[in-house]
Amino acid sequence: MAKEVAEEYASSLADLTVNSKPLINMLTILAEENIDHAGVIVETVEKHLEKVHPDIKLPVLYLVDSIIKNVGGAYTQKFAQSIVNMFTRTFKQVDEKVRSQMFKLRETWHDVFPGTKLYQLDVKVNLIDPAWPIQAQPHQSNIHSVAATSTTTTAPITTTLTEEEEKMRSLLAKKEQELLMLQRKTIEMELKQTRRQLEVHEKSSKKVSTYLDTIII
């Protein structure tokens, strides 16, 4: 049954080549009707997003957005596990126009995905494009959900998040250091060019002065 659901959804998903609201709505309804197979459908969408041409990736992200907002539940939980990698891999492959649309889409996820996931997403995208703002906070999480679980699971969750946060901060610091080095090299090159221009200008001025002296004599 799961295989049939995956094949049927993949077949319908193949038609999503442009930002078609009716088709996205249809695929959202199809996902809702097969919510018992949410894991299979999420996996199908992930594989499809990975293989399609960059021009088609944005409509697929819009479908993900529609499913998590209109169906939610198991879909939000499943997509939350992979949204960081899905988003960053897509971001690397698309042009500036699509990246701008992706930023607008991410802005609507503050109340959809956990703050920790959005923080990871922001940091990873910032490593690709330093202009991308890191808005989410690393410790922002659903406290009630953690409290509702057994005390034995609380410590591992905190440890995992801290390690992930430290890793992200380390990567970000490294990226900032590389950027500073690049800026220094650029400034040094500009200074060298300016000095050369000044030297050429001085030589030209001396030639003109010598010529004028000759004429005056």
Side-chain angles (χ1 to χ4, degrees):
M1 181 63 182
K3 185 179 179 182
E4 293 175 2
V5 170
E7 289 176 352
E8 181 185 353
Y9 204 81
S11 177
S12 299
L13 198 55
D15 295 329
L16 187 61
T17 56
V18 294
N19 184 22
S20 168
K21 188 175 181 180
L23 187 53
I24 288 175
N25 288 342
M26 185 273 288
L27 285 163
T28 302
I29 293 169
L30 191 59
E32 185 174 19
E33 291 174 349
N34 292 279
I35 195 167
D36 291 339
H37 298 282
V40 173
I41 290 179
V42 168
E43 186 178 341
T44 301
V45 174
E46 289 174 6
K47 288 180 179 177
H48 184 75
L49 178 64
E50 186 71 25
K51 69 181 182 181
V52 295
H53 190 275
D55 293 342
I56 305 174
K57 291 184 184 292
L58 186 60
V60 180
L61 284 178
Y62 283 149
L63 170 62
V64 172
D65 181 71
S66 176
I67 292 174
I68 60 178
K69 288 177 180 174
N70 294 300
V71 184
Y75 284 107
T76 303
Q77 295 173 10
K78 298 287 184 183
F79 276 120
Q81 295 172 12
S82 55
I83 192 63
V84 175
N85 287 334
M86 288 174 64
F87 197 91
T88 50
R89 284 175 185 169
T90 301
F91 192 85
K92 287 180 181 178
Q93 299 174 30
V94 297
D95 58 26
E96 288 299 323
K97 184 178 179 181
V98 175
R99 286 183 174 187
S100 176
Q101 294 303 313
M102 288 178 68
F103 175 74
K104 291 178 182 178
L105 183 63
R106 180 259 177 267
E107 286 288 87
T108 68
W109 289 348
H110 290 287
D111 298 324
V112 180
F113 290 119
T116 49
K117 285 293 179 183
L118 294 178
Y119 174 74
Q120 292 172 28
L121 186 153
D122 285 345
V123 169
K124 284 195 173 184
V125 177
N126 180 270
L127 292 174
I128 302 168
D129 180 4
W132 185 278
I134 300 176
Q135 303 176 67
Q137 298 300 312
H139 294 300
Q140 183 182 346
S141 60
N142 192 331
I143 297 172
H144 298 293
S145 295
V146 174
T149 59
S150 63
T151 53
T152 54
T153 61
T154 305
I157 290 174
T158 305
T159 303
T160 303
L161 292 177
T162 302
E163 289 174 356
E164 186 68 25
E165 177 191 344
E166 289 301 322
K167 185 178 178 182
M168 291 295 178
R169 284 181 176 176
S170 177
L171 285 171
L172 185 58
K174 183 179 178 182
K175 188 70 177 178
E176 288 176 347
Q177 193 67 30
E178 290 175 356
L179 186 62
L180 284 172
M181 290 295 292
L182 185 63
Q183 289 175 340
R184 286 175 185 172
K185 287 181 180 179
T186 303
I187 292 171
E188 286 174 2
M189 288 178 66
E190 289 176 351
L191 284 172
K192 285 181 181 179
Q193 289 177 354
T194 303
R195 284 170 185 166
R196 286 175 187 170
Q197 289 174 356
L198 285 171
E199 287 174 1
V200 171
H201 180 70
E202 286 176 2
K203 287 180 181 179
S204 299
S205 297
K206 286 180 181 178
K207 287 181 180 180
V208 171
S209 177
T210 303
Y211 174 75
L212 289 173
D213 290 341
T214 305
I215 292 175
I216 292 171
I217 289 169

